[in-house]
Amino acid sequence: MSDYQIIVIGAGPAGLMAAGQASLLGAKTLVLEKMGRAAIKLGITGKGRCNLTNTADYSDFLSHFNPDGGFCRQAFARFFSTDLIAFINKLGVPTIVERGGRVFPESGRAGEIVASILKWAGDCGVIIRKRASVSGLLVDQGYVKGIALNDQIITADAVIIATGGASYPATGSTGDGYLMAESHGHYIVPVQPSLVPMETAGDIVLQLSDVNLRNVRATLWIDEKKTAEAFGEVLFRPYGLAGPTILSLSRMAVKALCSNKQVYISIDLKPALNQQKLDARLRRDLDLNGKKEFQSLLKGLLPGRLIPVCISMTKISIHKASHQVTSRERKRLGQWLKDFRLEIIRFRPFSEAIITSGGVSTKEIDPRTMGSRIVKGLFFAGEILDLDADTGGFNLQWAFSSGWLAGKSAVNFLSQR
Ligand SMILES: Cc1cc2nc3c(=O)[nH]c(=O)nc-3n(C[C@H](O)[C@H](O)[C@H](O)COP(=O)(O)OP(=O)(O)OC[C@H]3O[C@@H](n4cnc5c(N)ncnc54)[C@H](O)[C@@H]3O)c2cc1C
């Protein structure tokens, strides 16, 4: 007789949901969490507000996942955003929908989500043991038999690995689950930081540190080819670029940098005007302000801290009166405003990445159960799998949906045996 029927490794959103579902179905379930607190990462999501899920419809939702949203179909068919919202509301946490279908707790506090899920798991009968870092799995003749915890062995009839990815390791997600899976035959798709800021060449960004541009278009160029674009906010940091648009372009940029491709991000500072309309506006402004210094005209076009950068990159003398700006210089200015280009040379480390791309290959996981096709009784849930999504609440939905399915499937497995 085993110590527990089910052991869940990791008390993040995926692990807690899995454990709660298994317990609700009557399985004696233990969660082992290496940190002194459960769900630390969940508590800092959405800048402390927790973007829980998204109201996008099913097919739109799947399209936000990489490399293959199709794998999520079964889990989402069983437990989707409407179910998660209803579940959270039932725990006594009202939710609101914001721009882009993003769902948050009405209180704006991720801590409220953490507290209510922990209470729910406790009420379901889940036992959570903290400061318990699992070091390996026990597997015998193709069946999981339990886990190793330092010098201790705890036996179980099924194990769910929900140890998360490798991003923000200070929250406990240090990639331990990859080693556990790999040592029992699972292939690990090489992991990389994703939804991560980018480092730029040169020192231009040093002058712009903390400048925040809103309503701009960022375009990713890989080997001279326009590859993707995003509209919204760009933040300058002493090392380079951050902000929602940059994060959303980062997955492709990281991939390209890893294959030694040339990567640029071009910022369109005037996305509402095409090149022709912008040129007409510049011509009009230069005519109207003929005697004024050219520099004063720039004040109406750009945030103050961008002006010296614009001047040095377009090489137009600041001392010129507006009427002295030649048509060639005006064209150069127009082009720069539409295409402020920065070379990307590196990406920031895992400690700054919202999500991990790569992980346990989904080819060896049954999407109907989240069960391993290699080790019987072994299940996976959450970010540990080779799936990552855009910002917008998609990643947490995946953690909860896959946890829900893994918990139920583990109990099914027990009853079938
Ligand atoms: C700053 C930040 C903001 C984010 N904001 C959002 C957002 O607003 N919306 C969204 O959808 N997504 C967001 N994400 C992503 C989201 O947090 C993750 O996708 C999600 O937490 C993954 O859940 P998980 O349960 O799979 O893993 P995790 O939340 O990483 O939990 C894994 C748990 O396993 C434990 N563990 C690891 N190894 C062991 C071991 N050997 N033994 C025992 N326990 C172990 C860890 O300590 C951790 O508690 C954000 C991520 C970050 C970093």
PDB file of all heavy atoms in Angstrom, residues 9-14 32-35 41 44-46 51 132-134 162-164 168 171-173 176 180 354-355 382-383 393-396 399, ligand 1:
ATOM      1  N   ILE A   9       3.864  17.374  -7.644  1.00  0.00           N
ATOM      2  CA  ILE A   9       5.122  18.092  -7.369  1.00  0.00           C
ATOM      3  C   ILE A   9       4.959  19.529  -7.850  1.00  0.00           C
ATOM      4  O   ILE A   9       4.827  19.778  -9.049  1.00  0.00           O
ATOM      5  CB  ILE A   9       6.330  17.429  -8.078  1.00  0.00           C
ATOM      6  CG1 ILE A   9       6.330  15.911  -7.841  1.00  0.00           C
ATOM      7  CG2 ILE A   9       7.635  18.055  -7.590  1.00  0.00           C
ATOM      8  CD1 ILE A   9       7.394  15.165  -8.640  1.00  0.00           C
ATOM      9  N   GLY A  10       4.939  20.467  -6.909  1.00  0.00           N
ATOM     10  CA  GLY A  10       4.817  21.889  -7.254  1.00  0.00           C
ATOM     11  C   GLY A  10       3.446  22.451  -6.904  1.00  0.00           C
ATOM     12  O   GLY A  10       2.431  21.956  -7.387  1.00  0.00           O
ATOM     13  N   ALA A  11       3.452  23.497  -6.060  1.00  0.00           N
ATOM     14  CA  ALA A  11       2.185  24.124  -5.648  1.00  0.00           C
ATOM     15  C   ALA A  11       1.995  25.460  -6.359  1.00  0.00           C
ATOM     16  O   ALA A  11       1.799  26.496  -5.727  1.00  0.00           O
ATOM     17  CB  ALA A  11       2.149  24.307  -4.133  1.00  0.00           C
ATOM     18  N   GLY A  12       2.078  25.436  -7.696  1.00  0.00           N
ATOM     19  CA  GLY A  12       1.707  26.600  -8.506  1.00  0.00           C
ATOM     20  C   GLY A  12       0.250  26.424  -8.910  1.00  0.00           C
ATOM     21  O   GLY A  12      -0.430  25.489  -8.427  1.00  0.00           O
ATOM     22  N   PRO A  13      -0.263  27.265  -9.814  1.00  0.00           N
ATOM     23  CA  PRO A  13      -1.654  27.129 -10.231  1.00  0.00           C
ATOM     24  C   PRO A  13      -1.971  25.756 -10.824  1.00  0.00           C
ATOM     25  O   PRO A  13      -3.029  25.187 -10.536  1.00  0.00           O
ATOM     26  CB  PRO A  13      -1.832  28.232 -11.278  1.00  0.00           C
ATOM     27  CG  PRO A  13      -0.461  28.751 -11.592  1.00  0.00           C
ATOM     28  CD  PRO A  13       0.399  28.427 -10.429  1.00  0.00           C
ATOM     29  N   ALA A  14      -1.042  25.193 -11.622  1.00  0.00           N
ATOM     30  CA  ALA A  14      -1.306  23.881 -12.236  1.00  0.00           C
ATOM     31  C   ALA A  14      -1.373  22.794 -11.165  1.00  0.00           C
ATOM     32  O   ALA A  14      -2.299  21.972 -11.150  1.00  0.00           O
ATOM     33  CB  ALA A  14      -0.224  23.561 -13.261  1.00  0.00           C
ATOM     34  N   LEU A  32       3.845  18.531  -2.868  1.00  0.00           N
ATOM     35  CA  LEU A  32       5.165  18.860  -2.331  1.00  0.00           C
ATOM     36  C   LEU A  32       5.656  20.138  -2.996  1.00  0.00           C
ATOM     37  O   LEU A  32       5.687  20.230  -4.230  1.00  0.00           O
ATOM     38  CB  LEU A  32       6.136  17.716  -2.605  1.00  0.00           C
ATOM     39  CG  LEU A  32       5.756  16.411  -1.876  1.00  0.00           C
ATOM     40  CD1 LEU A  32       6.561  15.242  -2.401  1.00  0.00           C
ATOM     41  CD2 LEU A  32       5.941  16.557  -0.367  1.00  0.00           C
ATOM     42  N   GLU A  33       6.004  21.132  -2.199  1.00  0.00           N
ATOM     43  CA  GLU A  33       6.421  22.435  -2.712  1.00  0.00           C
ATOM     44  C   GLU A  33       7.781  22.780  -2.121  1.00  0.00           C
ATOM     45  O   GLU A  33       7.961  22.750  -0.909  1.00  0.00           O
ATOM     46  CB  GLU A  33       5.365  23.499  -2.336  1.00  0.00           C
ATOM     47  CG  GLU A  33       5.790  24.939  -2.517  1.00  0.00           C
ATOM     48  CD  GLU A  33       6.275  25.259  -3.931  1.00  0.00           C
ATOM     49  OE1 GLU A  33       5.579  24.937  -4.903  1.00  0.00           O
ATOM     50  OE2 GLU A  33       7.398  25.832  -4.043  1.00  0.00           O
ATOM     51  N   LYS A  34       8.726  23.118  -3.000  1.00  0.00           N
ATOM     52  CA  LYS A  34      10.086  23.333  -2.511  1.00  0.00           C
ATOM     53  C   LYS A  34      10.251  24.645  -1.732  1.00  0.00           C
ATOM     54  O   LYS A  34      11.108  24.751  -0.864  1.00  0.00           O
ATOM     55  CB  LYS A  34      11.091  23.286  -3.664  1.00  0.00           C
ATOM     56  CG  LYS A  34      11.126  24.519  -4.533  1.00  0.00           C
ATOM     57  CD  LYS A  34      11.843  24.255  -5.823  1.00  0.00           C
ATOM     58  CE  LYS A  34      13.312  24.528  -5.742  1.00  0.00           C
ATOM     59  NZ  LYS A  34      13.956  24.422  -7.060  1.00  0.00           N
ATOM     60  N   MET A  35       9.397  25.636  -2.019  1.00  0.00           N
ATOM     61  CA  MET A  35       9.550  26.941  -1.366  1.00  0.00           C
ATOM     62  C   MET A  35       8.830  26.961  -0.007  1.00  0.00           C
ATOM     63  O   MET A  35       8.047  26.071   0.308  1.00  0.00           O
ATOM     64  CB  MET A  35       8.984  28.054  -2.250  1.00  0.00           C
ATOM     65  CG  MET A  35       9.614  28.124  -3.631  1.00  0.00           C
ATOM     66  SD  MET A  35      11.385  28.451  -3.603  1.00  0.00           S
ATOM     67  CE  MET A  35      11.380  30.229  -3.455  1.00  0.00           C
ATOM     68  N   LYS A  41       4.810  32.545  -7.656  1.00  0.00           N
ATOM     69  CA  LYS A  41       4.736  33.202  -8.972  1.00  0.00           C
ATOM     70  C   LYS A  41       3.326  33.705  -9.264  1.00  0.00           C
ATOM     71  O   LYS A  41       3.151  34.822  -9.748  1.00  0.00           O
ATOM     72  CB  LYS A  41       5.208  32.242 -10.079  1.00  0.00           C
ATOM     73  CG  LYS A  41       5.343  32.933 -11.422  1.00  0.00           C
ATOM     74  CD  LYS A  41       5.819  31.997 -12.514  1.00  0.00           C
ATOM     75  CE  LYS A  41       7.315  31.824 -12.489  1.00  0.00           C
ATOM     76  NZ  LYS A  41       7.795  30.933 -13.568  1.00  0.00           N
ATOM     77  N   ILE A  44       2.577  37.134  -8.156  1.00  0.00           N
ATOM     78  CA  ILE A  44       3.168  38.336  -8.781  1.00  0.00           C
ATOM     79  C   ILE A  44       2.699  38.496 -10.234  1.00  0.00           C
ATOM     80  O   ILE A  44       3.186  39.356 -10.960  1.00  0.00           O
ATOM     81  CB  ILE A  44       4.721  38.319  -8.741  1.00  0.00           C
ATOM     82  CG1 ILE A  44       5.277  37.085  -9.481  1.00  0.00           C
ATOM     83  CG2 ILE A  44       5.236  38.397  -7.326  1.00  0.00           C
ATOM     84  CD1 ILE A  44       6.759  37.190  -9.813  1.00  0.00           C
ATOM     85  N   THR A  45       1.771  37.652 -10.659  1.00  0.00           N
ATOM     86  CA  THR A  45       1.345  37.731 -12.065  1.00  0.00           C
ATOM     87  C   THR A  45       0.601  39.040 -12.337  1.00  0.00           C
ATOM     88  O   THR A  45       0.041  39.657 -11.419  1.00  0.00           O
ATOM     89  CB  THR A  45       0.437  36.549 -12.448  1.00  0.00           C
ATOM     90  OG1 THR A  45      -0.615  36.471 -11.489  1.00  0.00           O
ATOM     91  CG2 THR A  45       1.192  35.243 -12.501  1.00  0.00           C
ATOM     92  N   GLY A  46       0.616  39.422 -13.610  1.00  0.00           N
ATOM     93  CA  GLY A  46      -0.125  40.611 -14.052  1.00  0.00           C
ATOM     94  C   GLY A  46       0.267  41.846 -13.254  1.00  0.00           C
ATOM     95  O   GLY A  46      -0.607  42.625 -12.864  1.00  0.00           O
ATOM     96  N   ASN A  51      -3.616  38.524 -14.264  1.00  0.00           N
ATOM     97  CA  ASN A  51      -4.439  38.395 -15.481  1.00  0.00           C
ATOM     98  C   ASN A  51      -4.745  36.907 -15.659  1.00  0.00           C
ATOM     99  O   ASN A  51      -4.003  36.167 -16.285  1.00  0.00           O
ATOM    100  CB  ASN A  51      -3.655  38.960 -16.672  1.00  0.00           C
ATOM    101  CG  ASN A  51      -4.401  38.866 -17.976  1.00  0.00           C
ATOM    102  OD1 ASN A  51      -3.831  39.103 -19.028  1.00  0.00           O
ATOM    103  ND2 ASN A  51      -5.680  38.540 -17.936  1.00  0.00           N
ATOM    104  N   ALA A 132       9.812  21.301   0.626  1.00  0.00           N
ATOM    105  CA  ALA A 132       9.994  19.893   0.263  1.00  0.00           C
ATOM    106  C   ALA A 132      10.395  19.836  -1.201  1.00  0.00           C
ATOM    107  O   ALA A 132       9.545  19.885  -2.095  1.00  0.00           O
ATOM    108  CB  ALA A 132       8.699  19.130   0.488  1.00  0.00           C
ATOM    109  N   SER A 133      11.710  19.813  -1.440  1.00  0.00           N
ATOM    110  CA  SER A 133      12.205  19.846  -2.818  1.00  0.00           C
ATOM    111  C   SER A 133      12.400  18.421  -3.345  1.00  0.00           C
ATOM    112  O   SER A 133      13.288  17.695  -2.895  1.00  0.00           O
ATOM    113  CB  SER A 133      13.523  20.627  -2.850  1.00  0.00           C
ATOM    114  OG  SER A 133      13.958  20.728  -4.164  1.00  0.00           O
ATOM    115  N   VAL A 134      11.570  18.053  -4.289  1.00  0.00           N
ATOM    116  CA  VAL A 134      11.635  16.691  -4.848  1.00  0.00           C
ATOM    117  C   VAL A 134      12.876  16.578  -5.737  1.00  0.00           C
ATOM    118  O   VAL A 134      13.143  17.453  -6.557  1.00  0.00           O
ATOM    119  CB  VAL A 134      10.355  16.389  -5.663  1.00  0.00           C
ATOM    120  CG1 VAL A 134      10.457  15.030  -6.354  1.00  0.00           C
ATOM    121  CG2 VAL A 134       9.128  16.440  -4.747  1.00  0.00           C
ATOM    122  N   ALA A 162       4.251  19.257 -11.796  1.00  0.00           N
ATOM    123  CA  ALA A 162       3.753  20.611 -12.111  1.00  0.00           C
ATOM    124  C   ALA A 162       4.751  21.633 -11.565  1.00  0.00           C
ATOM    125  O   ALA A 162       4.401  22.541 -10.822  1.00  0.00           O
ATOM    126  CB  ALA A 162       2.371  20.807 -11.491  1.00  0.00           C
ATOM    127  N   THR A 163       6.013  21.426 -11.958  1.00  0.00           N
ATOM    128  CA  THR A 163       7.095  22.238 -11.384  1.00  0.00           C
ATOM    129  C   THR A 163       7.345  23.531 -12.157  1.00  0.00           C
ATOM    130  O   THR A 163       8.291  24.252 -11.859  1.00  0.00           O
ATOM    131  CB  THR A 163       8.407  21.413 -11.353  1.00  0.00           C
ATOM    132  OG1 THR A 163       8.562  20.790 -12.635  1.00  0.00           O
ATOM    133  CG2 THR A 163       8.363  20.351 -10.293  1.00  0.00           C
ATOM    134  N   GLY A 164       6.527  23.829 -13.154  1.00  0.00           N
ATOM    135  CA  GLY A 164       6.682  25.084 -13.895  1.00  0.00           C
ATOM    136  C   GLY A 164       7.867  25.052 -14.846  1.00  0.00           C
ATOM    137  O   GLY A 164       8.454  23.987 -15.106  1.00  0.00           O
ATOM    138  N   TYR A 168      11.881  33.293 -13.919  1.00  0.00           N
ATOM    139  CA  TYR A 168      11.745  33.831 -12.557  1.00  0.00           C
ATOM    140  C   TYR A 168      12.116  32.755 -11.516  1.00  0.00           C
ATOM    141  O   TYR A 168      11.313  32.379 -10.672  1.00  0.00           O
ATOM    142  CB  TYR A 168      10.321  34.360 -12.315  1.00  0.00           C
ATOM    143  CG  TYR A 168      10.149  35.826 -12.670  1.00  0.00           C
ATOM    144  CD1 TYR A 168      10.309  36.246 -13.985  1.00  0.00           C
ATOM    145  CD2 TYR A 168       9.826  36.775 -11.716  1.00  0.00           C
ATOM    146  CE1 TYR A 168      10.159  37.580 -14.331  1.00  0.00           C
ATOM    147  CE2 TYR A 168       9.673  38.116 -12.049  1.00  0.00           C
ATOM    148  CZ  TYR A 168       9.838  38.510 -13.363  1.00  0.00           C
ATOM    149  OH  TYR A 168       9.692  39.836 -13.706  1.00  0.00           O
ATOM    150  N   THR A 171      11.155  32.441  -7.760  1.00  0.00           N
ATOM    151  CA  THR A 171       9.836  32.021  -7.275  1.00  0.00           C
ATOM    152  C   THR A 171       9.781  30.505  -7.034  1.00  0.00           C
ATOM    153  O   THR A 171       8.744  29.986  -6.628  1.00  0.00           O
ATOM    154  CB  THR A 171       8.736  32.391  -8.300  1.00  0.00           C
ATOM    155  OG1 THR A 171       8.999  31.684  -9.525  1.00  0.00           O
ATOM    156  CG2 THR A 171       8.670  33.875  -8.567  1.00  0.00           C
ATOM    157  N   GLY A 172      10.893  29.824  -7.322  1.00  0.00           N
ATOM    158  CA  GLY A 172      10.924  28.359  -7.112  1.00  0.00           C
ATOM    159  C   GLY A 172      10.943  27.580  -8.406  1.00  0.00           C
ATOM    160  O   GLY A 172      11.260  26.387  -8.417  1.00  0.00           O
ATOM    161  N   SER A 173      10.617  28.236  -9.526  1.00  0.00           N
ATOM    162  CA  SER A 173      10.549  27.524 -10.820  1.00  0.00           C
ATOM    163  C   SER A 173      11.946  27.493 -11.434  1.00  0.00           C
ATOM    164  O   SER A 173      12.325  28.390 -12.172  1.00  0.00           O
ATOM    165  CB  SER A 173       9.582  28.239 -11.773  1.00  0.00           C
ATOM    166  OG  SER A 173       8.480  28.724 -11.067  1.00  0.00           O
ATOM    167  N   ASP A 176      13.441  22.072 -12.341  1.00  0.00           N
ATOM    168  CA  ASP A 176      13.749  20.735 -11.780  1.00  0.00           C
ATOM    169  C   ASP A 176      12.986  19.621 -12.501  1.00  0.00           C
ATOM    170  O   ASP A 176      13.505  18.512 -12.690  1.00  0.00           O
ATOM    171  CB  ASP A 176      13.359  20.650 -10.298  1.00  0.00           C
ATOM    172  CG  ASP A 176      14.085  21.664  -9.440  1.00  0.00           C
ATOM    173  OD1 ASP A 176      14.801  22.512 -10.002  1.00  0.00           O
ATOM    174  OD2 ASP A 176      13.923  21.616  -8.212  1.00  0.00           O
ATOM    175  N   MET A 180      13.715  15.494 -13.969  1.00  0.00           N
ATOM    176  CA  MET A 180      12.940  14.316 -13.535  1.00  0.00           C
ATOM    177  C   MET A 180      12.369  13.597 -14.758  1.00  0.00           C
ATOM    178  O   MET A 180      12.425  12.369 -14.851  1.00  0.00           O
ATOM    179  CB  MET A 180      11.770  14.752 -12.641  1.00  0.00           C
ATOM    180  CG  MET A 180      12.191  15.391 -11.341  1.00  0.00           C
ATOM    181  SD  MET A 180      10.712  15.952 -10.448  1.00  0.00           S
ATOM    182  CE  MET A 180      11.428  17.267  -9.456  1.00  0.00           C
ATOM    183  N   ILE A 354       8.935  36.221 -18.626  1.00  0.00           N
ATOM    184  CA  ILE A 354       7.607  35.889 -18.093  1.00  0.00           C
ATOM    185  C   ILE A 354       7.318  34.401 -18.252  1.00  0.00           C
ATOM    186  O   ILE A 354       6.609  33.804 -17.462  1.00  0.00           O
ATOM    187  CB  ILE A 354       6.509  36.696 -18.857  1.00  0.00           C
ATOM    188  CG1 ILE A 354       6.749  38.201 -18.730  1.00  0.00           C
ATOM    189  CG2 ILE A 354       5.102  36.328 -18.411  1.00  0.00           C
ATOM    190  CD1 ILE A 354       6.470  38.774 -17.386  1.00  0.00           C
ATOM    191  N   ILE A 355       7.884  33.809 -19.284  1.00  0.00           N
ATOM    192  CA  ILE A 355       7.537  32.417 -19.581  1.00  0.00           C
ATOM    193  C   ILE A 355       8.746  31.700 -20.186  1.00  0.00           C
ATOM    194  O   ILE A 355       9.678  32.358 -20.641  1.00  0.00           O
ATOM    195  CB  ILE A 355       6.281  32.372 -20.511  1.00  0.00           C
ATOM    196  CG1 ILE A 355       5.599  31.019 -20.522  1.00  0.00           C
ATOM    197  CG2 ILE A 355       6.606  32.790 -21.937  1.00  0.00           C
ATOM    198  CD1 ILE A 355       4.493  30.917 -19.553  1.00  0.00           C
ATOM    199  N   GLY A 382       0.840  22.301 -16.756  1.00  0.00           N
ATOM    200  CA  GLY A 382       1.362  23.674 -16.667  1.00  0.00           C
ATOM    201  C   GLY A 382       2.547  23.958 -17.570  1.00  0.00           C
ATOM    202  O   GLY A 382       2.756  23.321 -18.611  1.00  0.00           O
ATOM    203  N   GLU A 383       3.337  24.918 -17.117  1.00  0.00           N
ATOM    204  CA  GLU A 383       4.411  25.489 -17.940  1.00  0.00           C
ATOM    205  C   GLU A 383       5.547  24.510 -18.226  1.00  0.00           C
ATOM    206  O   GLU A 383       6.358  24.755 -19.119  1.00  0.00           O
ATOM    207  CB  GLU A 383       4.942  26.738 -17.213  1.00  0.00           C
ATOM    208  CG  GLU A 383       5.792  27.638 -18.070  1.00  0.00           C
ATOM    209  CD  GLU A 383       6.260  28.880 -17.325  1.00  0.00           C
ATOM    210  OE1 GLU A 383       5.511  29.397 -16.470  1.00  0.00           O
ATOM    211  OE2 GLU A 383       7.392  29.336 -17.611  1.00  0.00           O
ATOM    212  N   GLY A 393      -3.343  36.447 -20.346  1.00  0.00           N
ATOM    213  CA  GLY A 393      -4.060  35.508 -19.481  1.00  0.00           C
ATOM    214  C   GLY A 393      -4.056  34.086 -20.017  1.00  0.00           C
ATOM    215  O   GLY A 393      -4.594  33.176 -19.387  1.00  0.00           O
ATOM    216  N   PHE A 394      -3.435  33.882 -21.186  1.00  0.00           N
ATOM    217  CA  PHE A 394      -3.457  32.564 -21.830  1.00  0.00           C
ATOM    218  C   PHE A 394      -2.617  31.537 -21.056  1.00  0.00           C
ATOM    219  O   PHE A 394      -2.991  30.365 -20.965  1.00  0.00           O
ATOM    220  CB  PHE A 394      -2.963  32.676 -23.280  1.00  0.00           C
ATOM    221  CG  PHE A 394      -3.734  33.696 -24.066  1.00  0.00           C
ATOM    222  CD1 PHE A 394      -3.201  34.942 -24.359  1.00  0.00           C
ATOM    223  CD2 PHE A 394      -5.032  33.425 -24.486  1.00  0.00           C
ATOM    224  CE1 PHE A 394      -3.918  35.891 -25.066  1.00  0.00           C
ATOM    225  CE2 PHE A 394      -5.769  34.364 -25.191  1.00  0.00           C
ATOM    226  CZ  PHE A 394      -5.210  35.600 -25.476  1.00  0.00           C
ATOM    227  N   ASN A 395      -1.489  31.982 -20.527  1.00  0.00           N
ATOM    228  CA  ASN A 395      -0.602  31.027 -19.849  1.00  0.00           C
ATOM    229  C   ASN A 395      -1.223  30.499 -18.555  1.00  0.00           C
ATOM    230  O   ASN A 395      -1.115  29.309 -18.248  1.00  0.00           O
ATOM    231  CB  ASN A 395       0.755  31.683 -19.576  1.00  0.00           C
ATOM    232  CG  ASN A 395       1.563  31.829 -20.860  1.00  0.00           C
ATOM    233  OD1 ASN A 395       1.871  30.834 -21.507  1.00  0.00           O
ATOM    234  ND2 ASN A 395       1.875  33.057 -21.248  1.00  0.00           N
ATOM    235  N   LEU A 396      -1.877  31.378 -17.801  1.00  0.00           N
ATOM    236  CA  LEU A 396      -2.508  30.897 -16.560  1.00  0.00           C
ATOM    237  C   LEU A 396      -3.682  29.980 -16.870  1.00  0.00           C
ATOM    238  O   LEU A 396      -3.908  28.991 -16.184  1.00  0.00           O
ATOM    239  CB  LEU A 396      -2.945  32.071 -15.682  1.00  0.00           C
ATOM    240  CG  LEU A 396      -1.817  32.688 -14.837  1.00  0.00           C
ATOM    241  CD1 LEU A 396      -2.315  33.906 -14.063  1.00  0.00           C
ATOM    242  CD2 LEU A 396      -1.227  31.662 -13.859  1.00  0.00           C
ATOM    243  N   ALA A 399      -2.269  26.670 -17.378  1.00  0.00           N
ATOM    244  CA  ALA A 399      -1.863  26.035 -16.115  1.00  0.00           C
ATOM    245  C   ALA A 399      -3.091  25.436 -15.420  1.00  0.00           C
ATOM    246  O   ALA A 399      -3.084  24.274 -15.000  1.00  0.00           O
ATOM    247  CB  ALA A 399      -1.166  27.055 -15.214  1.00  0.00           C
TER     248      ALA A 399
HETATM  249  C1  LIG B   1       6.351  38.254 -13.586  1.00  0.00           C
HETATM  250  C2  LIG B   1       5.359  37.288 -14.208  1.00  0.00           C
HETATM  251  C3  LIG B   1       4.080  37.737 -14.490  1.00  0.00           C
HETATM  252  C4  LIG B   1       3.160  36.862 -15.109  1.00  0.00           C
HETATM  253  N1  LIG B   1       1.897  37.313 -15.352  1.00  0.00           N
HETATM  254  C5  LIG B   1       1.001  36.484 -15.945  1.00  0.00           C
HETATM  255  C6  LIG B   1      -0.346  36.904 -16.132  1.00  0.00           C
HETATM  256  O1  LIG B   1      -0.768  37.990 -15.696  1.00  0.00           O
HETATM  257  N2  LIG B   1      -1.181  36.050 -16.808  1.00  0.00           N
HETATM  258  C7  LIG B   1      -0.769  34.811 -17.252  1.00  0.00           C
HETATM  259  O2  LIG B   1      -1.568  34.102 -17.869  1.00  0.00           O
HETATM  260  N3  LIG B   1       0.475  34.373 -17.010  1.00  0.00           N
HETATM  261  C8  LIG B   1       1.358  35.158 -16.348  1.00  0.00           C
HETATM  262  N4  LIG B   1       2.631  34.698 -16.092  1.00  0.00           N
HETATM  263  C9  LIG B   1       2.963  33.271 -16.401  1.00  0.00           C
HETATM  264  C10 LIG B   1       2.369  32.351 -15.319  1.00  0.00           C
HETATM  265  O3  LIG B   1       2.719  32.839 -14.044  1.00  0.00           O
HETATM  266  C11 LIG B   1       2.875  30.916 -15.469  1.00  0.00           C
HETATM  267  O4  LIG B   1       2.533  30.472 -16.753  1.00  0.00           O
HETATM  268  C12 LIG B   1       2.233  29.999 -14.426  1.00  0.00           C
HETATM  269  O5  LIG B   1       2.567  30.410 -13.125  1.00  0.00           O
HETATM  270  C13 LIG B   1       2.698  28.554 -14.630  1.00  0.00           C
HETATM  271  O6  LIG B   1       2.083  27.775 -13.644  1.00  0.00           O
HETATM  272  P1  LIG B   1       2.698  26.376 -13.169  1.00  0.00           P
HETATM  273  O7  LIG B   1       1.843  25.917 -12.042  1.00  0.00           O
HETATM  274  O8  LIG B   1       2.894  25.509 -14.336  1.00  0.00           O
HETATM  275  O9  LIG B   1       4.155  26.738 -12.642  1.00  0.00           O
HETATM  276  P2  LIG B   1       4.657  27.708 -11.476  1.00  0.00           P
HETATM  277  O10 LIG B   1       3.671  28.781 -11.214  1.00  0.00           O
HETATM  278  O11 LIG B   1       6.025  28.094 -11.869  1.00  0.00           O
HETATM  279  O12 LIG B   1       4.694  26.765 -10.195  1.00  0.00           O
HETATM  280  C14 LIG B   1       5.616  25.702 -10.099  1.00  0.00           C
HETATM  281  C15 LIG B   1       5.835  25.373  -8.612  1.00  0.00           C
HETATM  282  O13 LIG B   1       6.631  24.206  -8.512  1.00  0.00           O
HETATM  283  C16 LIG B   1       7.561  24.371  -7.461  1.00  0.00           C
HETATM  284  N5  LIG B   1       8.708  23.483  -7.680  1.00  0.00           N
HETATM  285  C17 LIG B   1       9.665  23.570  -8.643  1.00  0.00           C
HETATM  286  N6  LIG B   1      10.561  22.576  -8.523  1.00  0.00           N
HETATM  287  C18 LIG B   1      10.171  21.818  -7.453  1.00  0.00           C
HETATM  288  C19 LIG B   1      10.696  20.680  -6.814  1.00  0.00           C
HETATM  289  N7  LIG B   1      11.827  20.072  -7.233  1.00  0.00           N
HETATM  290  N8  LIG B   1      10.053  20.175  -5.731  1.00  0.00           N
HETATM  291  C20 LIG B   1       8.915  20.755  -5.268  1.00  0.00           C
HETATM  292  N9  LIG B   1       8.385  21.866  -5.828  1.00  0.00           N
HETATM  293  C21 LIG B   1       8.993  22.389  -6.916  1.00  0.00           C
HETATM  294  C22 LIG B   1       7.918  25.844  -7.551  1.00  0.00           C
HETATM  295  O14 LIG B   1       8.465  26.306  -6.328  1.00  0.00           O
HETATM  296  C23 LIG B   1       6.578  26.475  -7.879  1.00  0.00           C
HETATM  297  O15 LIG B   1       5.861  26.819  -6.713  1.00  0.00           O
HETATM  298  C24 LIG B   1       3.561  35.523 -15.447  1.00  0.00           C
HETATM  299  C25 LIG B   1       4.848  35.092 -15.139  1.00  0.00           C
HETATM  300  C26 LIG B   1       5.742  35.960 -14.522  1.00  0.00           C
HETATM  301  C27 LIG B   1       7.116  35.463 -14.200  1.00  0.00           C
END
